Amino acid sequence: MNKIVTLLLIMASGLFAQAQQPLTLTNAITKALENNYDIVIAKENQRVAEIENNWGTAGRYPYINLSLGDNNSVRVVDGDNTTSIGLTGGASVNWTIFDGFSVSITKTRLEELENLSKNNAAVMVEGTIQSVILAYYDVLLQKEILATYNEVMALSQDRFQKAEQQKEYGSAVTYDVLQAQNAYLADRASYLLQEVAYKNAKRNLAYLMAETEAVDYEYTDDFEAITEDYTLANLRAQMIENNKSLQNQYINQRLLNNAIASAKSSFSPSLGFTGGVTGSRAGTKVGDMDMDWANSANFYGNLTLSWNLFSGGNRKRALQIAEIDSDIAEIQLTDMQHDLDNSLANLFEFYQVRKELLTVADENLAAAQLNLQISRDKFEAGAINSFNFRDVQEIYLRAAQGKLEAIYNFINAQTSLLRLTGVIVQEYE
């Protein structure tokens, strides 16, 4: 019977192992870029902007209309019927030949709006990549912390079991057993809570990848910090060239300049052309007489020149407002550049500190590990009491967590630096 149970457990564990799918950080980013809800919406908005960026939307081409009508009537006078049939048709062309260069100005505006839409999609892509990176490493962080809790819990469980055995042989009292039991139960509770945190981290990553089905992944990337040597000058040059928010501000500035040009074009005359052809066929039938048909056609072509010389000062005020908006945008651009410079300097300094803290965390963990090993030997030899050993356990736990959090915080700082300089897409494409 035991062999059968063992065989079933082996088979079940094999199926579980097969159900796991490897997931690298690159794969997670790829899935998110393909399926993330916000990115899908941003790409659809970009498609709309691409469709609207057309010369037809700008007004370069003429409008052509076709019309067809059928008017029939029957008139009865003193028993005699008079039947009338009227067929009309026509085609017309309306074309604004010149309107103060508004067509070219509008087309330029549509191109800038398309660029703005692309940049908005790029901003969404950058934000998603950053979120996925942090979510992926958060999964690894919670997994490593869970392993640390498991290690400490195993030590507490071993200590609890030994205390029970010692009590049976009379070398320990109930107080010692209770102390060991309390420590074990506290570590067990921390482990269970950390297990929930690990599962939540996995769910957050799955949401970013827009996965609705629960998939058991094996997260294959190493949880480690890869340090790079950056210079503030190079980072600033990359930020000026690649930062999407800054590029969007440049586009907004050009759109406002376009609005000034549009306001100026309203002072220009407008030349329009209207042409077309209309035709009709009318038939009249009185009583039993044959239908009498009459056909006619009319061709026309007209040019209209119009010039609004005065409109209550509305055009002048619109131009003044457009110029003021452009001046405000210039100030906002300067403000954004200053703010980005400050943010970059802060992030760069923060990155340098995080890199140094990695070394501090390594040394702290190495000391805590050695202290735990020595204290465990002393505790088993009776050289220290349970309280001292528990303090050492907690010091090791804090040091282990501090090392893991130092790695995650460094990755967070590095990712934020790459996002601000606009090269995060190149780093993880």
Side-chain angles (χ1 to χ4, degrees):
M1 183 67 179
N2 291 334
K3 291 181 178 181
I4 296 175
V5 173
T6 303
L7 180 61
L8 290 175
L9 290 174
I10 293 174
M11 292 175 62
S13 62
L15 291 174
F16 178 76
Q18 292 177 0
Q20 279 193 321
Q21 298 181 19
L23 182 68
T24 65
L25 174 59
T26 303
N27 295 142
I29 292 174
T30 301
K31 287 177 179 289
L33 295 182
E34 291 176 353
N35 305 318
N36 183 270
Y37 303 110
D38 292 332
I39 288 184
V40 172
I41 293 173
K43 288 182 177 179
E44 291 301 310
N45 289 331
Q46 181 180 337
R47 287 182 57 202
V48 171
E50 291 173 354
I51 293 172
E52 290 180 341
N53 183 17
N54 187 278
W55 280 108
T57 307
R60 164 174 284 187
Y61 305 119
Y63 289 84
I64 301 176
N65 298 309
L66 296 177
S67 62
L68 182 64
D70 181 16
N71 300 311
N72 304 314
S73 65
V74 177
R75 182 182 180 188
V76 181
V77 179
D78 296 333
D80 293 330
N81 297 336
T82 301
T83 303
S84 300
I85 299 176
L87 300 174
T88 59
S92 63
V93 177
N94 295 290
W95 190 7
T96 301
I97 299 175
F98 179 77
D99 193 14
F101 303 103
S102 65
V103 173
S104 299
I105 294 171
T106 302
K107 184 62 170 63
T108 302
R109 182 177 64 84
L110 293 174
E111 290 174 355
E112 295 295 352
L113 288 174
E114 181 181 349
N115 293 332
L116 183 63
S117 178
K118 289 179 180 178
N119 266 12
N120 287 336
V123 169
M124 191 65 65
V125 168
E126 287 181 344
T128 301
I129 291 177
Q130 182 182 21
S131 298
V132 171
I133 292 170
L134 297 181
Y136 186 92
Y137 281 110
D138 186 47
V139 172
L140 296 181
L141 171 65
Q142 303 306 327
K143 182 180 179 181
E144 294 291 337
I145 292 178
L146 184 65
T148 303
Y149 274 117
N150 186 50
E151 180 184 357
V152 174
M153 183 180 65
L155 290 174
S156 299
Q157 185 179 20
D158 181 62
R159 172 189 162 197
F160 176 44
Q161 291 173 348
K162 286 182 179 179
E164 287 184 322
Q165 292 174 359
Q166 290 172 353
K167 181 185 177 183
E168 292 178 1
Y169 294 112
S171 59
V173 296
T174 303
Y175 180 79
D176 296 328
V177 176
L178 291 176
Q179 289 296 323
Q181 184 181 20
N182 289 337
Y184 166 68
L185 293 177
D187 291 339
R188 174 66 178 166
S190 298
Y191 176 84
L192 293 175
L193 291 174
Q194 182 58 33
E195 200 171 30
V196 174
Y198 176 47
K199 292 178 180 178
N200 288 339
K202 292 195 292 184
R203 275 191 287 267
N204 291 337
L205 178 60
Y207 172 75
L208 290 173
M209 296 187 297
E211 290 192 340
T212 56
E213 297 181 0
V215 181
D216 187 23
Y217 284 117
E218 178 188 359
Y219 305 92
T220 57
D221 280 31
D222 295 327
F223 186 66
E224 60 181 0
I226 302 176
T227 60
E228 298 284 349
D229 292 327
Y230 301 117
T231 63
L232 186 59
N234 289 339
L235 290 173
R236 187 180 187 280
Q238 290 177 330
M239 180 184 70
I240 296 299
E241 181 180 356
N242 301 312
N243 184 274
K244 295 298 184 295
S245 297
L246 188 59
Q247 290 180 359
N248 278 351
Q249 191 62 27
Y250 291 144
I251 294 175
N252 286 328
Q253 183 65 48
R254 292 196 295 270
L255 284 171
L256 290 172
N257 292 335
N258 181 270
I260 293 175
S262 179
K264 289 180 178 179
S265 71
S266 64
F267 290 92
S268 302
S270 176
L271 178 62
F273 171 77
T274 303
V277 57
T278 59
S280 63
R281 180 177 173 82
T284 304
K285 183 177 183 299
V286 180
D288 295 332
M289 297 176 62
D290 293 334
M291 182 70 70
D292 184 20
W293 292 98
N295 301 320
S296 65
N298 180 37
F299 299 88
Y300 63 95
N302 304 305
L303 291 173
T304 302
L305 177 64
S306 61
W307 196 351
N308 186 346
L309 298 179
F310 182 72
S311 59
N314 291 328
R315 290 176 298 170
K316 182 179 179 180
R317 286 189 291 271
L319 177 59
Q320 290 174 336
I321 292 173
E323 291 173 342
I324 293 172
D325 288 339
S326 180
D327 292 339
I328 292 173
E330 285 283 358
I331 298 172
Q332 291 174 337
L333 177 60
T334 303
D335 179 35
M336 176 178 285
Q337 290 172 335
H338 193 175
D339 181 61
L340 287 174
D341 284 336
N342 284 344
S343 298
L344 180 63
N346 292 337
L347 271 177
F348 179 73
E349 187 173 352
F350 202 55
Y351 172 82
Q352 297 294 98
V353 172
R354 290 296 186 190
K355 188 162 62 171
E356 293 180 9
L357 287 176
L358 285 173
T359 304
V360 175
D362 281 332
E363 295 176 357
N364 190 24
L365 179 59
Q369 286 176 329
L370 181 60
N371 190 20
L372 179 64
Q373 181 181 351
I374 295 173
S375 298
R376 184 176 183 181
D377 294 338
K378 287 185 176 182
F379 176 70
E380 292 177 352
I384 60 174
N385 58 35
S386 60
F387 295 102
N388 299 134
F389 184 62
R390 182 60 180 173
D391 290 339
V392 172
Q393 275 186 310
E394 292 178 350
I395 291 173
Y396 169 73
L397 181 61
R398 288 194 296 269
Q401 288 182 350
K403 169 62 185 304
L404 296 173
E405 290 173 356
I407 294 175
Y408 181 80
N409 291 335
F410 174 82
I411 294 172
N412 190 357
Q414 187 179 46
T415 305
S416 299
L417 202 59
L418 295 175
R419 169 78 185 280
L420 186 65
T421 54
V423 297
I424 191 170
V425 176
Q426 290 88 342
E427 290 288 331
Y428 293 95
E429 64 182 357

